[in-house]
Amino acid sequence: MKNSLKHKDNRFIQFLKLIQKICWKRKKTEKPGFFGNYSTWHEARTCSGGYDAPAILEKTKAAMREIVAGRAIFERDSVLLPQCEYPWPLISFLLFTAASNCGRLSVLDFGGALGSSYHQCRPFLQHMSELTWAVVEQKHFVEAGRAEFSPKPVSFYENPAEAVFGVQPNVLPLPIVTGK
């Protein structure tokens, strides 16, 4: 038994090293992190980019408009894909949850952009007795979602407490957050 666990531990360490090589392609002398001489956090933030950049929202809105209009069939991270790439583990988890709750599915989707995961799973969710999908996002995504992309069952919230009160979720699928 000990040898078996030791073998599994060794394989796990090898796996982690492989992931490190893939994810952190950098020179051996470079250290990961953020560097610079900034006197305040605000100054550093001003000189950096991130998911809150207006261009990201605009690109995401443009992609979602194509999906909603039926001119494109699939989108992931604002990139239109030429074919469906269904998130099967997520879909099976959602269907299991609904089956375990008499057909009720209420999803709390953290970082759900403009409802991308809902649109990817939608063909499999059409026969739910009750379906709600609450996206918790940054303020500018919430505003855009509410203005343009919130047909039932999708709704948008700036904070989790508001979303929980609004839809009473029975599932928080972490694969949405991790992208797995």
Side-chain angles (χ1 to χ4, degrees):
M1 179 78 168
K2 271 191 171 182
N3 286 341
S4 176
L5 289 176
K6 189 174 182 179
H7 177 69
K8 286 180 182 178
D9 287 345
N10 189 32
R11 288 180 54 199
F12 184 68
I13 290 169
Q14 289 174 345
F15 172 74
L16 290 178
K17 286 180 180 179
L18 176 64
I19 295 300
Q20 184 179 18
K21 283 180 186 177
I22 293 169
C23 294
W24 291 290
K25 291 182 179 178
R26 58 182 165 80
K27 295 177 187 173
K28 295 218 183 255
T29 57
E30 289 181 5
K31 293 182 180 177
F34 300 97
F35 304 95
N37 295 319
Y38 303 101
S39 58
T40 66
W41 174 254
H42 178 73
E43 182 184 349
R45 187 97 168 92
T46 302
C47 295
S48 65
Y51 186 63
D52 59 347
I56 292 175
L57 174 59
E58 292 308 314
K59 187 175 179 187
T60 305
K61 284 183 354 184
M64 190 55 68
R65 285 182 187 125
E66 295 295 305
I67 299 294
V68 170
R71 293 186 295 265
I73 56 171
F74 227 74
E75 171 269 338
R76 185 174 295 127
D77 297 326
S78 78
V79 176
L80 295 173
L81 302 174
Q83 62 202 29
C84 296
E85 292 183 15
Y86 293 113
W88 294 114
L90 174 60
I91 291 166
S92 61
F93 176 69
L94 295 175
L95 293 175
F96 174 79
T97 301
S100 300
N101 289 276
C102 300
R104 179 181 176 272
L105 182 63
S106 184
V107 178
L108 184 56
D109 180 359
F110 277 96
L114 297 173
S116 297
S117 293
Y118 166 74
H119 287 281
Q120 291 171 12
C121 298
R122 182 178 54 183
F124 304 94
L125 307 176
Q126 301 301 310
H127 301 290
M128 301 291 144
S129 62
E130 181 184 342
L131 175 61
T132 55
W133 195 287
V135 175
V136 177
E137 255 300 351
Q138 297 176 71
K139 183 178 181 173
H140 60 299
F141 271 82
V142 171
E143 290 169 353
R146 287 177 177 168
E148 198 172 343
F149 304 104
S150 58
K152 295 290 181 196
V154 180
S155 54
F156 295 88
Y157 299 90
E158 287 184 54
N159 68 63
E162 189 181 308
V164 167
F165 182 76
V167 302
Q168 299 172 347
N170 61 357
V171 64
L172 169 62
L174 294 179
I176 291 174
V177 178
T178 62
K180 302 293 178 207

PDB file of all heavy atoms in Angstrom, residues 49-71:
ATOM      1  N   GLY A  49      -2.934  46.353 -17.502  1.00  0.00           N
ATOM      2  CA  GLY A  49      -4.197  46.014 -18.141  1.00  0.00           C
ATOM      3  C   GLY A  49      -4.850  44.878 -17.384  1.00  0.00           C
ATOM      4  O   GLY A  49      -4.241  44.248 -16.523  1.00  0.00           O
ATOM      5  N   GLY A  50      -6.074  44.598 -17.722  1.00  0.00           N
ATOM      6  CA  GLY A  50      -6.759  43.503 -17.054  1.00  0.00           C
ATOM      7  C   GLY A  50      -8.111  43.240 -17.674  1.00  0.00           C
ATOM      8  O   GLY A  50      -8.492  43.847 -18.681  1.00  0.00           O
ATOM      9  N   TYR A  51      -8.837  42.348 -17.046  1.00  0.00           N
ATOM     10  CA  TYR A  51     -10.133  41.925 -17.547  1.00  0.00           C
ATOM     11  C   TYR A  51     -11.146  43.061 -17.531  1.00  0.00           C
ATOM     12  O   TYR A  51     -12.144  43.016 -18.230  1.00  0.00           O
ATOM     13  CB  TYR A  51     -10.630  40.744 -16.705  1.00  0.00           C
ATOM     14  CG  TYR A  51     -11.896  40.113 -17.211  1.00  0.00           C
ATOM     15  CD1 TYR A  51     -11.946  39.504 -18.457  1.00  0.00           C
ATOM     16  CD2 TYR A  51     -13.048  40.118 -16.436  1.00  0.00           C
ATOM     17  CE1 TYR A  51     -13.104  38.924 -18.919  1.00  0.00           C
ATOM     18  CE2 TYR A  51     -14.217  39.537 -16.887  1.00  0.00           C
ATOM     19  CZ  TYR A  51     -14.244  38.941 -18.133  1.00  0.00           C
ATOM     20  OH  TYR A  51     -15.395  38.377 -18.585  1.00  0.00           O
ATOM     21  N   ASP A  52     -10.871  44.107 -16.763  1.00  0.00           N
ATOM     22  CA  ASP A  52     -11.801  45.223 -16.704  1.00  0.00           C
ATOM     23  C   ASP A  52     -11.575  46.240 -17.826  1.00  0.00           C
ATOM     24  O   ASP A  52     -12.255  47.255 -17.891  1.00  0.00           O
ATOM     25  CB  ASP A  52     -11.734  45.906 -15.338  1.00  0.00           C
ATOM     26  CG  ASP A  52     -10.352  46.435 -14.997  1.00  0.00           C
ATOM     27  OD1 ASP A  52      -9.380  46.082 -15.693  1.00  0.00           O
ATOM     28  OD2 ASP A  52     -10.251  47.194 -14.020  1.00  0.00           O
ATOM     29  N   ALA A  53     -10.658  45.961 -18.743  1.00  0.00           N
ATOM     30  CA  ALA A  53     -10.395  46.867 -19.861  1.00  0.00           C
ATOM     31  C   ALA A  53     -11.629  46.977 -20.757  1.00  0.00           C
ATOM     32  O   ALA A  53     -12.251  45.967 -21.093  1.00  0.00           O
ATOM     33  CB  ALA A  53      -9.203  46.372 -20.675  1.00  0.00           C
ATOM     34  N   PRO A  54     -11.994  48.198 -21.143  1.00  0.00           N
ATOM     35  CA  PRO A  54     -13.186  48.382 -21.990  1.00  0.00           C
ATOM     36  C   PRO A  54     -13.140  47.581 -23.294  1.00  0.00           C
ATOM     37  O   PRO A  54     -14.170  47.109 -23.769  1.00  0.00           O
ATOM     38  CB  PRO A  54     -13.187  49.891 -22.270  1.00  0.00           C
ATOM     39  CG  PRO A  54     -12.422  50.484 -21.137  1.00  0.00           C
ATOM     40  CD  PRO A  54     -11.380  49.469 -20.767  1.00  0.00           C
ATOM     41  N   ALA A  55     -11.961  47.406 -23.865  1.00  0.00           N
ATOM     42  CA  ALA A  55     -11.847  46.657 -25.127  1.00  0.00           C
ATOM     43  C   ALA A  55     -12.302  45.206 -24.965  1.00  0.00           C
ATOM     44  O   ALA A  55     -12.869  44.630 -25.898  1.00  0.00           O
ATOM     45  CB  ALA A  55     -10.410  46.712 -25.636  1.00  0.00           C
ATOM     46  N   ILE A  56     -12.073  44.624 -23.797  1.00  0.00           N
ATOM     47  CA  ILE A  56     -12.491  43.235 -23.561  1.00  0.00           C
ATOM     48  C   ILE A  56     -14.014  43.144 -23.552  1.00  0.00           C
ATOM     49  O   ILE A  56     -14.591  42.244 -24.161  1.00  0.00           O
ATOM     50  CB  ILE A  56     -11.873  42.682 -22.272  1.00  0.00           C
ATOM     51  CG1 ILE A  56     -10.362  42.544 -22.455  1.00  0.00           C
ATOM     52  CG2 ILE A  56     -12.509  41.348 -21.879  1.00  0.00           C
ATOM     53  CD1 ILE A  56      -9.614  42.130 -21.222  1.00  0.00           C
ATOM     54  N   LEU A  57     -14.661  44.082 -22.884  1.00  0.00           N
ATOM     55  CA  LEU A  57     -16.130  44.088 -22.880  1.00  0.00           C
ATOM     56  C   LEU A  57     -16.661  44.265 -24.300  1.00  0.00           C
ATOM     57  O   LEU A  57     -17.587  43.552 -24.710  1.00  0.00           O
ATOM     58  CB  LEU A  57     -16.667  45.188 -21.970  1.00  0.00           C
ATOM     59  CG  LEU A  57     -18.195  45.372 -22.013  1.00  0.00           C
ATOM     60  CD1 LEU A  57     -18.925  44.096 -21.609  1.00  0.00           C
ATOM     61  CD2 LEU A  57     -18.610  46.543 -21.135  1.00  0.00           C
ATOM     62  N   GLU A  58     -16.101  45.171 -25.047  1.00  0.00           N
ATOM     63  CA  GLU A  58     -16.577  45.409 -26.415  1.00  0.00           C
ATOM     64  C   GLU A  58     -16.425  44.163 -27.295  1.00  0.00           C
ATOM     65  O   GLU A  58     -17.313  43.818 -28.064  1.00  0.00           O
ATOM     66  CB  GLU A  58     -15.868  46.619 -27.040  1.00  0.00           C
ATOM     67  CG  GLU A  58     -16.235  47.935 -26.390  1.00  0.00           C
ATOM     68  CD  GLU A  58     -17.746  48.171 -26.300  1.00  0.00           C
ATOM     69  OE1 GLU A  58     -18.458  47.950 -27.300  1.00  0.00           O
ATOM     70  OE2 GLU A  58     -18.215  48.563 -25.214  1.00  0.00           O
ATOM     71  N   LYS A  59     -15.298  43.491 -27.167  1.00  0.00           N
ATOM     72  CA  LYS A  59     -15.071  42.271 -27.945  1.00  0.00           C
ATOM     73  C   LYS A  59     -16.053  41.172 -27.518  1.00  0.00           C
ATOM     74  O   LYS A  59     -16.592  40.444 -28.351  1.00  0.00           O
ATOM     75  CB  LYS A  59     -13.625  41.791 -27.769  1.00  0.00           C
ATOM     76  CG  LYS A  59     -13.273  40.633 -28.665  1.00  0.00           C
ATOM     77  CD  LYS A  59     -11.810  40.270 -28.553  1.00  0.00           C
ATOM     78  CE  LYS A  59     -11.517  39.078 -29.455  1.00  0.00           C
ATOM     79  NZ  LYS A  59     -10.179  38.556 -29.285  1.00  0.00           N
ATOM     80  N   THR A  60     -16.298  41.071 -26.219  1.00  0.00           N
ATOM     81  CA  THR A  60     -17.235  40.072 -25.703  1.00  0.00           C
ATOM     82  C   THR A  60     -18.652  40.377 -26.162  1.00  0.00           C
ATOM     83  O   THR A  60     -19.398  39.472 -26.559  1.00  0.00           O
ATOM     84  CB  THR A  60     -17.158  40.029 -24.156  1.00  0.00           C
ATOM     85  OG1 THR A  60     -15.800  39.787 -23.777  1.00  0.00           O
ATOM     86  CG2 THR A  60     -18.045  38.938 -23.592  1.00  0.00           C
ATOM     87  N   LYS A  61     -19.039  41.652 -26.134  1.00  0.00           N
ATOM     88  CA  LYS A  61     -20.382  42.036 -26.608  1.00  0.00           C
ATOM     89  C   LYS A  61     -20.544  41.709 -28.097  1.00  0.00           C
ATOM     90  O   LYS A  61     -21.583  41.178 -28.506  1.00  0.00           O
ATOM     91  CB  LYS A  61     -20.632  43.531 -26.368  1.00  0.00           C
ATOM     92  CG  LYS A  61     -20.920  43.850 -24.932  1.00  0.00           C
ATOM     93  CD  LYS A  61     -21.248  45.294 -24.596  1.00  0.00           C
ATOM     94  CE  LYS A  61     -21.158  46.360 -25.585  1.00  0.00           C
ATOM     95  NZ  LYS A  61     -21.417  47.717 -25.044  1.00  0.00           N
ATOM     96  N   ALA A  62     -19.530  42.013 -28.882  1.00  0.00           N
ATOM     97  CA  ALA A  62     -19.608  41.742 -30.324  1.00  0.00           C
ATOM     98  C   ALA A  62     -19.780  40.245 -30.580  1.00  0.00           C
ATOM     99  O   ALA A  62     -20.600  39.838 -31.410  1.00  0.00           O
ATOM    100  CB  ALA A  62     -18.360  42.268 -31.028  1.00  0.00           C
ATOM    101  N   ALA A  63     -19.045  39.419 -29.862  1.00  0.00           N
ATOM    102  CA  ALA A  63     -19.160  37.965 -30.038  1.00  0.00           C
ATOM    103  C   ALA A  63     -20.531  37.472 -29.597  1.00  0.00           C
ATOM    104  O   ALA A  63     -21.170  36.673 -30.292  1.00  0.00           O
ATOM    105  CB  ALA A  63     -18.061  37.252 -29.251  1.00  0.00           C
ATOM    106  N   MET A  64     -21.019  37.963 -28.475  1.00  0.00           N
ATOM    107  CA  MET A  64     -22.324  37.511 -27.983  1.00  0.00           C
ATOM    108  C   MET A  64     -23.452  37.974 -28.895  1.00  0.00           C
ATOM    109  O   MET A  64     -24.433  37.258 -29.087  1.00  0.00           O
ATOM    110  CB  MET A  64     -22.547  37.997 -26.547  1.00  0.00           C
ATOM    111  CG  MET A  64     -23.761  37.373 -25.887  1.00  0.00           C
ATOM    112  SD  MET A  64     -23.776  35.556 -25.896  1.00  0.00           S
ATOM    113  CE  MET A  64     -22.431  35.193 -24.794  1.00  0.00           C
ATOM    114  N   ARG A  65     -23.311  39.137 -29.501  1.00  0.00           N
ATOM    115  CA  ARG A  65     -24.324  39.594 -30.469  1.00  0.00           C
ATOM    116  C   ARG A  65     -24.429  38.618 -31.643  1.00  0.00           C
ATOM    117  O   ARG A  65     -25.514  38.345 -32.143  1.00  0.00           O
ATOM    118  CB  ARG A  65     -23.973  40.988 -30.978  1.00  0.00           C
ATOM    119  CG  ARG A  65     -24.243  42.085 -29.989  1.00  0.00           C
ATOM    120  CD  ARG A  65     -23.908  43.458 -30.576  1.00  0.00           C
ATOM    121  NE  ARG A  65     -24.027  44.472 -29.557  1.00  0.00           N
ATOM    122  CZ  ARG A  65     -23.061  45.329 -29.232  1.00  0.00           C
ATOM    123  NH1 ARG A  65     -21.894  45.302 -29.867  1.00  0.00           N
ATOM    124  NH2 ARG A  65     -23.262  46.220 -28.284  1.00  0.00           N
ATOM    125  N   GLU A  66     -23.284  38.107 -32.084  1.00  0.00           N
ATOM    126  CA  GLU A  66     -23.277  37.135 -33.170  1.00  0.00           C
ATOM    127  C   GLU A  66     -23.997  35.846 -32.761  1.00  0.00           C
ATOM    128  O   GLU A  66     -24.740  35.268 -33.555  1.00  0.00           O
ATOM    129  CB  GLU A  66     -21.840  36.828 -33.610  1.00  0.00           C
ATOM    130  CG  GLU A  66     -21.113  38.008 -34.228  1.00  0.00           C
ATOM    131  CD  GLU A  66     -21.751  38.456 -35.535  1.00  0.00           C
ATOM    132  OE1 GLU A  66     -21.912  37.622 -36.440  1.00  0.00           O
ATOM    133  OE2 GLU A  66     -22.103  39.656 -35.634  1.00  0.00           O
ATOM    134  N   ILE A  67     -23.790  35.406 -31.529  1.00  0.00           N
ATOM    135  CA  ILE A  67     -24.440  34.197 -31.028  1.00  0.00           C
ATOM    136  C   ILE A  67     -25.947  34.410 -30.948  1.00  0.00           C
ATOM    137  O   ILE A  67     -26.737  33.601 -31.441  1.00  0.00           O
ATOM    138  CB  ILE A  67     -23.885  33.813 -29.629  1.00  0.00           C
ATOM    139  CG1 ILE A  67     -22.394  33.520 -29.686  1.00  0.00           C
ATOM    140  CG2 ILE A  67     -24.673  32.664 -29.013  1.00  0.00           C
ATOM    141  CD1 ILE A  67     -21.998  32.317 -30.486  1.00  0.00           C
ATOM    142  N   VAL A  68     -26.357  35.503 -30.325  1.00  0.00           N
ATOM    143  CA  VAL A  68     -27.783  35.791 -30.121  1.00  0.00           C
ATOM    144  C   VAL A  68     -28.503  35.957 -31.465  1.00  0.00           C
ATOM    145  O   VAL A  68     -29.636  35.494 -31.629  1.00  0.00           O
ATOM    146  CB  VAL A  68     -27.968  37.038 -29.227  1.00  0.00           C
ATOM    147  CG1 VAL A  68     -29.407  37.495 -29.188  1.00  0.00           C
ATOM    148  CG2 VAL A  68     -27.458  36.747 -27.815  1.00  0.00           C
ATOM    149  N   ALA A  69     -27.829  36.559 -32.438  1.00  0.00           N
ATOM    150  CA  ALA A  69     -28.428  36.766 -33.757  1.00  0.00           C
ATOM    151  C   ALA A  69     -28.445  35.494 -34.600  1.00  0.00           C
ATOM    152  O   ALA A  69     -29.052  35.463 -35.667  1.00  0.00           O
ATOM    153  CB  ALA A  69     -27.678  37.873 -34.495  1.00  0.00           C
ATOM    154  N   GLY A  70     -27.750  34.453 -34.151  1.00  0.00           N
ATOM    155  CA  GLY A  70     -27.714  33.205 -34.899  1.00  0.00           C
ATOM    156  C   GLY A  70     -26.697  33.182 -36.022  1.00  0.00           C
ATOM    157  O   GLY A  70     -26.680  32.257 -36.837  1.00  0.00           O
ATOM    158  N   ARG A  71     -25.828  34.181 -36.083  1.00  0.00           N
ATOM    159  CA  ARG A  71     -24.804  34.225 -37.132  1.00  0.00           C
ATOM    160  C   ARG A  71     -23.559  33.437 -36.754  1.00  0.00           C
ATOM    161  O   ARG A  71     -22.693  33.195 -37.591  1.00  0.00           O
ATOM    162  CB  ARG A  71     -24.442  35.679 -37.448  1.00  0.00           C
ATOM    163  CG  ARG A  71     -25.587  36.458 -38.094  1.00  0.00           C
ATOM    164  CD  ARG A  71     -25.140  37.837 -38.523  1.00  0.00           C
ATOM    165  NE  ARG A  71     -24.775  38.674 -37.400  1.00  0.00           N
ATOM    166  CZ  ARG A  71     -25.583  39.543 -36.796  1.00  0.00           C
ATOM    167  NH1 ARG A  71     -26.828  39.671 -37.210  1.00  0.00           N
ATOM    168  NH2 ARG A  71     -25.151  40.287 -35.793  1.00  0.00           N
TER     169      ARG A  71
END
